[in-house]
């Protein structure tokens, strides 16, 4: 009991992302720049979707939710990491650690489900266009997005409570730049093998099953696109879907490495890089992918700039 109480009241100490770098100032500047670019990009995308009535469609509604997750992901981790680096500290309270695990798990699960729903939206739009207004009506979209949030909350509640219920009676030094479940389990002095097995099984449901559904949806979409007679329609469908596939690859690639590959096959430094990739790099790239490869978003941006008198002549 004494050890358990100690684990509840003691702080954890984050090693940080820059401790293993030979040029920590340069790496910090790069991370800060990516954080700012990602935050601005997703905020602008959210603003454009809200302001332009032509973007009030199911696809862009889901894209706005994706941008919301991409704003939240870095905000949970990067400011804390930057503060620790600048102040030369790395402590995080038990409650702060719990909050990071909860919100990151919530958004990670919800985003995975949302990407699956976005692939379904493209499948209906391309393969069943006449049924699209019925299958993707507003009530259905709200229900699907609500379910993704609910699944994220339920999963985050379970993982946070179970992970932090273990006793951490040994070292409280987390070899990571934020509190993540695999990194914390390495510090527990209790037997976590059963829970790690449960995490692997849940990983199949959370990662592999949605990825399989996404692959199936885009497989049907690709077949339908290749059968299109209109080159313009084929190019538009291919451009939109390829943007989605790029985002899916970026997000799931890093997440599968962290949560599905056994810990013995990757080092803490590799975990840091993978977590930084899906927690910062992907949120920064998503708005660029959609804005640069999507004609509707570019037109909405031009329209807003024209109203503000900032459009180049």
């Amino acid at each position: 009991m004494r050890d358990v109480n100690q684990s509840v009241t003691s702080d954890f100490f984050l090693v940080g992302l820059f401790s293993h770098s030979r040029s920590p100032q340069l790496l910090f500047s790069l991370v800060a720049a990516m954080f700012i670019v990602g935050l601005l990009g997703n905020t602008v995308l959210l603003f454009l979707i809200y302001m332009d009535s032509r973007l009030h469609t199911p696809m862009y509604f889901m894209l706005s939710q994706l941008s919301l997750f991409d704003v939240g992901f870095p905000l949970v981790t990067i400011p804390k990491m930057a503060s620790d680096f600048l102040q030369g500290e790395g402590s995080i309270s038990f409650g702060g650690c719990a909050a990071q695990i909860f919100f990151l798990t919530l958004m990670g699960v919800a985003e995975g489900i949302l990407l699956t729903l976005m692939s379904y939206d493209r499948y209906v739009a391309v393969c069943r266009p006449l049924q699209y207004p019925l299958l993707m009506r507003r009530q259905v979209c709200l229900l699907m997005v609500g379910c993704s949030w609910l699944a994220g909350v339920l999963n985050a509640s379970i993982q946070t409570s179970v992970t932090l219920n273990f006793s951490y009676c040994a070292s409280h030094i987390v070899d990571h730049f934020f509190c993540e479940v695999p990194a914390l389990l390495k510090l527990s002095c209790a037997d976590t093998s059963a829970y790690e097995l449960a995490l692997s099984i849940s990983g199949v449901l959370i990662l592999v099953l949605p990825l399989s559904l996404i692959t199936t949806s885009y497989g049907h979409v690709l077949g339908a696109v290749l059968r299109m007679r209109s080159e313009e329609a084929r190019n538009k469908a291919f451009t939109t879907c390829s943007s989605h596939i790029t985002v899916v690859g970026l997000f799931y690639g890093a997440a599968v490495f962290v949560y599905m590959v056994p810990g013995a096959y990757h080092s803490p430094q590799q975990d840091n890089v993978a977590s930084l990739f899906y927690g910062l790099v992907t949120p920064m790239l998503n708005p660029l992918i959609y804005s640069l490869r999507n004609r509707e978003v570019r037109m909405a941006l031009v329209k807003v700039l024209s109203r503000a008198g900032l459009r180049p002549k």
Side-chain angles (χ1 to χ4, degrees):
M1 182 64 68
R2 183 178 180 181
D3 290 337
V4 174
N5 290 336
Q6 182 184 354
S7 69
V8 172
T9 57
S10 298
D11 292 345
F12 289 100
F13 296 91
L14 302 174
V15 171
L17 181 66
F18 312 112
S19 59
H20 303 291
S21 173
R22 296 180 179 179
S23 305
Q25 290 80 11
L26 179 61
L27 183 58
F28 174 78
S29 301
L30 180 61
V31 168
M34 289 191 293
F35 173 72
I36 294 172
V37 170
L39 197 61
L40 290 176
N42 283 289
T43 302
V44 169
L45 192 54
L46 279 168
F47 176 76
L48 293 177
I49 294 173
Y50 175 77
M51 292 296 296
D52 197 315
S53 59
R54 292 173 299 181
L55 302 183
H56 294 174
T57 63
M59 184 184 75
Y60 288 107
F61 172 64
M62 293 183 186
L63 181 56
S64 69
Q65 298 298 302
L66 180 64
S67 292
L68 193 61
F69 293 139
D70 287 342
V71 169
F73 251 110
L75 283 177
V76 174
T77 58
I78 302 303
K80 168 62 178 171
M81 180 183 66
S83 174
D84 290 343
F85 175 75
L86 294 175
Q87 297 179 8
E89 298 179 359
S91 64
I92 182 171
S93 67
F94 187 86
C97 194
Q100 282 194 338
I101 292 176
F102 178 83
F103 286 111
L104 291 174
T105 306
L106 187 161
M107 290 184 287
V109 172
E111 181 168 338
I113 296 175
L114 181 66
L115 291 173
T116 307
L117 298 177
M118 292 175 71
S119 71
Y120 173 74
D121 172 80
R122 291 300 85 200
Y123 162 75
V124 176
V126 175
C127 300
R128 299 189 175 184
L130 297 179
Q131 296 176 300
Y132 188 84
L134 176 64
L135 295 177
M136 296 301 297
R137 60 189 184 275
R138 179 177 176 80
Q139 294 85 346
V140 174
C141 291
L142 291 174
L143 179 61
M144 291 194 301
V145 172
C147 288
S148 70
W149 277 94
L150 179 60
V153 170
L154 291 176
N155 185 272
S157 300
I158 295 172
Q159 286 205 27
T160 304
S161 60
V162 174
T163 300
L164 294 180
N165 193 49
F166 287 114
S167 57
Y168 295 93
C169 50
S171 172
H172 281 219
I173 300 176
V174 183
D175 199 354
H176 211 303
F177 65 93
F178 64 88
C179 288
E180 194 170 32
V181 173
L184 280 180
L185 291 180
K186 295 178 182 179
L187 304 181
S188 177
C189 54
D191 182 11
T192 62
S193 57
Y195 181 50
E196 291 180 31
L197 177 61
L199 285 178
S200 298
I201 296 174
S202 66
V204 174
L205 298 176
I206 295 171
L207 295 174
V208 177
L209 179 59
L211 190 57
S212 301
L213 295 175
I214 292 172
T215 303
T216 302
S217 294
Y218 283 121
H220 288 290
V221 169
L222 180 60
V225 168
L226 294 176
R227 291 192 297 269
M228 289 181 177
R229 296 182 179 180
S230 170
E231 184 177 353
E232 181 181 356
R234 185 165 59 246
N235 290 337
K236 181 179 179 180
F238 181 78
T239 299
T240 303
C241 294
S242 62
S243 298
H244 290 196
I245 294 172
T246 302
V247 171
V248 168
L250 292 173
F251 176 80
Y252 274 97
V256 167
F257 177 81
V258 173
Y259 285 95
M260 295 297 297
V261 177
Y265 294 94
H266 47 88
S267 65
Q269 290 78 13
Q270 291 173 326
D271 287 339
N272 278 335
V273 173
S275 298
L276 184 69
F277 197 85
Y278 76 74
L280 179 64
V281 177
T282 301
M284 178 196 68
L285 292 177
N286 283 351
L288 298 178
I289 291 171
Y290 282 106
S291 61
L292 294 177
R293 305 192 65 181
N294 196 301
R295 182 171 178 268
E296 287 83 1
V297 175
R298 293 199 304 268
M299 290 177 62
L301 179 60
V302 169
K303 182 179 178 181
V304 170
L305 293 178
S306 298
R307 287 180 178 178
L310 299 176
R311 183 181 178 181
K313 298 181 180 180

